[in-house]
PDB file of all heavy atoms in Angstrom:
ATOM      1  N   CYS A  58      57.320  30.286   9.147  1.00 98.00           N
ATOM      2  CA  CYS A  58      57.288  31.596   8.529  1.00 98.00           C
ATOM      3  C   CYS A  58      58.540  31.808   7.696  1.00 98.00           C
ATOM      4  O   CYS A  58      59.689  31.570   8.119  1.00 98.00           O
ATOM      5  CB  CYS A  58      57.255  32.687   9.663  1.00 98.00           C
ATOM      6  SG  CYS A  58      57.267  34.356   8.946  1.00 98.00           S
ATOM      7  N   LYS A  59      58.337  32.205   6.399  1.00 97.00           N
ATOM      8  CA  LYS A  59      59.453  32.528   5.546  1.00 97.00           C
ATOM      9  C   LYS A  59      59.263  33.960   4.974  1.00 97.00           C
ATOM     10  O   LYS A  59      59.603  34.231   3.793  1.00 97.00           O
ATOM     11  CB  LYS A  59      59.716  31.448   4.453  1.00 97.00           C
ATOM     12  CG  LYS A  59      58.469  31.086   3.644  1.00 97.00           C
ATOM     13  CD  LYS A  59      58.867  29.936   2.700  1.00 97.00           C
ATOM     14  CE  LYS A  59      57.645  29.497   1.943  1.00 97.00           C
ATOM     15  NZ  LYS A  59      57.003  30.528   1.070  1.00 97.00           N
ATOM     16  N   ASN A  60      58.718  34.801   5.813  1.00 98.00           N
ATOM     17  CA  ASN A  60      58.407  36.192   5.277  1.00 98.00           C
ATOM     18  C   ASN A  60      59.631  37.084   5.276  1.00 98.00           C
ATOM     19  O   ASN A  60      59.508  38.237   4.913  1.00 98.00           O
ATOM     20  CB  ASN A  60      57.252  36.804   6.036  1.00 98.00           C
ATOM     21  CG  ASN A  60      55.960  36.095   5.703  1.00 98.00           C
ATOM     22  OD1 ASN A  60      55.946  35.045   5.178  1.00 98.00           O
ATOM     23  ND2 ASN A  60      54.814  36.650   6.147  1.00 98.00           N
ATOM     24  N   CYS A  61      60.765  36.654   5.870  1.00 98.00           N
ATOM     25  CA  CYS A  61      61.979  37.398   5.677  1.00 98.00           C
ATOM     26  C   CYS A  61      63.186  36.425   5.684  1.00 98.00           C
ATOM     27  O   CYS A  61      63.017  35.258   6.018  1.00 98.00           O
ATOM     28  CB  CYS A  61      62.143  38.474   6.746  1.00 98.00           C
ATOM     29  SG  CYS A  61      62.930  37.893   8.300  1.00 98.00           S
ATOM     30  N   SER A  62      64.313  36.931   5.339  1.00 98.00           N
ATOM     31  CA  SER A  62      65.437  36.007   5.163  1.00 98.00           C
ATOM     32  C   SER A  62      66.199  35.714   6.447  1.00 98.00           C
ATOM     33  O   SER A  62      67.240  35.057   6.455  1.00 98.00           O
ATOM     34  CB  SER A  62      66.457  36.535   4.078  1.00 98.00           C
ATOM     35  OG  SER A  62      67.147  37.609   4.639  1.00 98.00           O
ATOM     36  N   MET A  63      65.683  36.163   7.569  1.00 98.00           N
ATOM     37  CA  MET A  63      66.219  35.619   8.885  1.00 98.00           C
ATOM     38  C   MET A  63      65.648  34.222   9.147  1.00 98.00           C
ATOM     39  O   MET A  63      66.165  33.511   9.977  1.00 98.00           O
ATOM     40  CB  MET A  63      65.858  36.594  10.018  1.00 98.00           C
ATOM     41  CG  MET A  63      66.498  37.973   9.894  1.00 98.00           C
ATOM     42  SD  MET A  63      66.444  38.956  11.343  1.00 98.00           S
ATOM     43  CE  MET A  63      64.669  39.360  11.460  1.00 98.00           C
ATOM     44  N   GLY A  64      64.600  33.946   8.417  1.00 94.00           N
ATOM     45  CA  GLY A  64      63.989  32.627   8.602  1.00 94.00           C
ATOM     46  C   GLY A  64      64.440  31.714   7.483  1.00 94.00           C
ATOM     47  O   GLY A  64      65.471  31.948   6.852  1.00 94.00           O
ATOM     48  N   PRO A  65      63.683  30.689   7.095  1.00 97.00           N
ATOM     49  CA  PRO A  65      62.386  30.336   7.671  1.00 97.00           C
ATOM     50  C   PRO A  65      62.504  30.002   9.189  1.00 97.00           C
ATOM     51  O   PRO A  65      63.439  29.326   9.616  1.00 97.00           O
ATOM     52  CB  PRO A  65      61.974  29.080   6.906  1.00 97.00           C
ATOM     53  CG  PRO A  65      62.758  29.149   5.644  1.00 97.00           C
ATOM     54  CD  PRO A  65      63.988  29.797   5.991  1.00 97.00           C
ATOM     55  N   CYS A  66      61.544  30.512   9.959  1.00 98.00           N
ATOM     56  CA  CYS A  66      61.444  30.224  11.358  1.00 98.00           C
ATOM     57  C   CYS A  66      60.309  29.177  11.542  1.00 98.00           C
ATOM     58  O   CYS A  66      59.168  29.417  11.074  1.00 98.00           O
ATOM     59  CB  CYS A  66      61.084  31.489  12.176  1.00 98.00           C
ATOM     60  SG  CYS A  66      62.364  32.732  12.084  1.00 98.00           S
ATOM     61  N   GLY A  83      59.469  33.334  16.580  1.00 98.00           N
ATOM     62  CA  GLY A  83      60.501  33.388  15.540  1.00 98.00           C
ATOM     63  C   GLY A  83      61.598  34.372  15.918  1.00 98.00           C
ATOM     64  O   GLY A  83      61.523  35.010  17.017  1.00 98.00           O
ATOM     65  N   LEU A  84      62.554  34.607  15.072  1.00 98.00           N
ATOM     66  CA  LEU A  84      63.668  35.442  15.355  1.00 98.00           C
ATOM     67  C   LEU A  84      63.197  36.891  15.695  1.00 98.00           C
ATOM     68  O   LEU A  84      63.697  37.527  16.577  1.00 98.00           O
ATOM     69  CB  LEU A  84      64.672  35.576  14.192  1.00 98.00           C
ATOM     70  CG  LEU A  84      65.872  34.687  14.359  1.00 98.00           C
ATOM     71  CD1 LEU A  84      65.512  33.215  14.354  1.00 98.00           C
ATOM     72  CD2 LEU A  84      66.873  34.972  13.204  1.00 98.00           C
ATOM     73  N   CYS A  85      62.157  37.330  15.002  1.00 98.00           N
ATOM     74  CA  CYS A  85      61.644  38.710  15.255  1.00 98.00           C
ATOM     75  C   CYS A  85      60.677  38.725  16.395  1.00 98.00           C
ATOM     76  O   CYS A  85      60.246  39.781  16.820  1.00 98.00           O
ATOM     77  CB  CYS A  85      60.944  39.226  14.017  1.00 98.00           C
ATOM     78  SG  CYS A  85      59.428  38.268  13.634  1.00 98.00           S
ATOM     79  N   GLY A  86      60.351  37.552  16.959  1.00 98.00           N
ATOM     80  CA  GLY A  86      59.429  37.500  18.099  1.00 98.00           C
ATOM     81  C   GLY A  86      58.030  37.162  17.655  1.00 98.00           C
ATOM     82  O   GLY A  86      57.119  37.061  18.517  1.00 98.00           O
ATOM     83  N   ALA A  87      57.799  36.918  16.328  1.00 98.00           N
ATOM     84  CA  ALA A  87      56.440  36.584  15.907  1.00 98.00           C
ATOM     85  C   ALA A  87      55.933  35.288  16.554  1.00 98.00           C
ATOM     86  O   ALA A  87      56.712  34.285  16.594  1.00 98.00           O
ATOM     87  CB  ALA A  87      56.389  36.394  14.386  1.00 98.00           C
ATOM     88  N   ILE A  92      52.112  33.935  13.106  1.00 98.00           N
ATOM     89  CA  ILE A  92      52.636  33.254  11.874  1.00 98.00           C
ATOM     90  C   ILE A  92      51.518  32.487  11.206  1.00 98.00           C
ATOM     91  O   ILE A  92      51.313  32.581   9.962  1.00 98.00           O
ATOM     92  CB  ILE A  92      53.794  32.314  12.295  1.00 98.00           C
ATOM     93  CG1 ILE A  92      54.995  33.157  12.666  1.00 98.00           C
ATOM     94  CG2 ILE A  92      54.123  31.345  11.135  1.00 98.00           C
ATOM     95  CD1 ILE A  92      56.199  32.397  13.204  1.00 98.00           C
ATOM     96  N   ARG A  95      49.110  34.948   9.595  1.00 98.00           N
ATOM     97  CA  ARG A  95      49.692  35.569   8.359  1.00 98.00           C
ATOM     98  C   ARG A  95      49.683  34.585   7.208  1.00 98.00           C
ATOM     99  O   ARG A  95      49.263  34.958   6.076  1.00 98.00           O
ATOM    100  CB  ARG A  95      51.145  35.990   8.623  1.00 98.00           C
ATOM    101  CG  ARG A  95      51.321  37.193   9.527  1.00 98.00           C
ATOM    102  CD  ARG A  95      52.628  37.924   9.386  1.00 98.00           C
ATOM    103  NE  ARG A  95      53.806  37.067   9.744  1.00 98.00           N
ATOM    104  CZ  ARG A  95      54.867  37.493  10.442  1.00 98.00           C
ATOM    105  NH1 ARG A  95      54.891  38.748  10.909  1.00 98.00           N
ATOM    106  NH2 ARG A  95      55.864  36.718  10.681  1.00 98.00           N
ATOM    107  N   MET A 221      57.070  41.367   6.788  1.00 98.00           N
ATOM    108  CA  MET A 221      57.816  41.335   8.097  1.00 98.00           C
ATOM    109  C   MET A 221      57.597  42.644   8.875  1.00 98.00           C
ATOM    110  O   MET A 221      57.791  43.750   8.281  1.00 98.00           O
ATOM    111  CB  MET A 221      59.314  41.162   7.769  1.00 98.00           C
ATOM    112  CG  MET A 221      60.156  40.734   8.945  1.00 98.00           C
ATOM    113  SD  MET A 221      60.715  42.167   9.861  1.00 98.00           S
ATOM    114  CE  MET A 221      61.085  41.436  11.431  1.00 98.00           C
ATOM    115  N   GLY A 222      57.228  42.468  10.072  1.00 97.00           N
ATOM    116  CA  GLY A 222      57.203  43.647  10.984  1.00 97.00           C
ATOM    117  C   GLY A 222      56.012  44.538  10.869  1.00 97.00           C
ATOM    118  O   GLY A 222      56.040  45.708  11.203  1.00 97.00           O
TER     119      GLY A 222
HETATM  120 FE1  SF4 B   1      61.273  34.583  11.190  1.00 73.23          FE
HETATM  121 FE2  SF4 B   1      59.983  36.906  11.817  1.00 73.23          FE
HETATM  122 FE3  SF4 B   1      61.391  36.656   9.569  1.00 73.23          FE
HETATM  123 FE4  SF4 B   1      59.071  35.297   9.900  1.00 73.23          FE
HETATM  124  S1  SF4 B   1      59.289  37.479   9.792  1.00 73.23           S
HETATM  125  S2  SF4 B   1      61.006  34.511   8.974  1.00 73.23           S
HETATM  126  S3  SF4 B   1      59.155  34.771  12.136  1.00 73.23           S
HETATM  127  S4  SF4 B   1      62.216  36.607  11.607  1.00 73.23           S
END
Side-chain angles (χ1 to χ4, degrees):
C58 180
K59 52 182 178 58
N60 292 12
C61 86
S62 74
M63 296 194 288
C66 296
L84 260 65
C85 65
I92 290 173
R95 286 200 302 220
M221 194 274 159

